[in-house]
Amino acid sequence: MEVKEALLKRRSTRKYSDKEISDEQIDELLHAAMSGPSACNKKPWEFYVIKNKETLKSLQKATPFSKINAPLAIIVVGNLNHSLPLWLKDFWVQDCSAATENILLRATDLGLGSLWCGIYPQKNPVKIIQQILGLNERMIPLNIIYIGYKDEENEPRDQYDKKYVHFIN
């Protein structure tokens, strides 16, 4: 699949079949994630791969938007011990967001559906996910990415709108 095709085909999927995701596919997703850019190459990301059904059910309680039945979730976590210092510390959000988008695009390329469910900066969902995963306060869950075989089909789309583009010559 060409990059442009993946960009247009990538859509938020909320309905999944029960078919499991293979370990090889998970490996592909994580390789894609870690191919993303990182400020000063700090790589402040960690990835929690959840296949356990009880843990997946626990995640559904994190936010009203995380009530998704998918066979796999990857939680992207910012490890502040690996972030930039001082006023640059919040670049972990950009690094982990780039990794997230790479996962979404690779999932599309593999014929899988995915959904980015934001957690940070919501305080209560962050605490819930930290408790579920046993994370300390320096490990901040940015999002839950639900992944699976689609049980719904969304048409590819181009959302380009030139009113949001400003050329300065």
Side-chain angles (χ1 to χ4, degrees):
M1 179 180 299
E2 295 290 325
V3 173
K4 182 178 180 180
E5 183 183 358
L7 289 167
L8 298 179
K9 285 182 87 172
R10 194 232 45 89
R11 301 284 307 274
S12 295
T13 301
R14 290 176 174 80
K15 295 179 183 174
Y16 300 92
S17 75
D18 292 334
K19 185 176 177 183
E20 298 225 359
I21 307 304
S22 72
D23 290 341
E24 293 80 16
Q25 289 170 310
I26 294 169
D27 191 56
E28 287 286 331
L29 295 169
L30 295 171
H31 273 83
M34 293 183 224
S35 296
S38 171
C40 298
N41 205 29
K42 291 299 246 177
K43 302 176 193 167
W45 49 57
E46 296 202 18
F47 305 91
Y48 289 77
V49 180
I50 313 296
K51 293 168 90 174
N52 178 279
K53 292 188 187 314
E54 291 305 312
T55 306
L56 288 168
K57 283 184 183 179
S58 296
L59 294 177
Q60 292 178 346
K61 299 172 187 164
T63 74
F65 310 107
S66 59
K67 294 178 181 15
I68 305 296
N69 288 312
L72 177 71
I74 298 176
I75 302 175
V76 182
V77 173
N79 183 338
L80 300 186
N81 294 321
H82 298 284
S83 64
L84 290 166
L86 305 170
W87 62 91
L88 302 173
K89 67 180 173 36
D90 290 332
F91 275 99
W92 73 267
V93 174
Q94 293 161 324
D95 295 349
C96 290
S97 294
T100 298
E101 183 67 12
N102 281 3
I103 291 171
L104 300 176
L105 290 171
R106 187 65 177 126
T108 300
D109 186 41
L110 293 170
L112 302 169
S114 61
L115 176 67
W116 178 334
C117 182
I119 299 299
Y120 178 83
Q122 304 169 88
K123 289 181 180 171
N124 286 335
V126 165
K127 286 180 185 177
I128 291 169
I129 300 298
Q130 285 173 325
Q131 289 172 352
I132 290 170
L133 299 179
L135 304 175
N136 66 43
E137 69 280 347
R138 297 204 45 86
M139 301 287 287
I140 312 295
L142 180 68
N143 58 51
I144 304 169
I145 306 169
Y146 289 103
I147 301 168
Y149 286 92
K150 297 183 269 188
D151 207 11
E152 65 181 0
E153 202 54 51
N154 296 316
E155 291 296 317
R157 69 176 175 191
D158 184 346
Q159 298 188 81
Y160 177 82
D161 187 337
K162 68 180 183 177
K163 74 180 178 186
Y164 299 111
V165 179
H166 310 277
F167 290 97
I168 302 172
N169 296 323

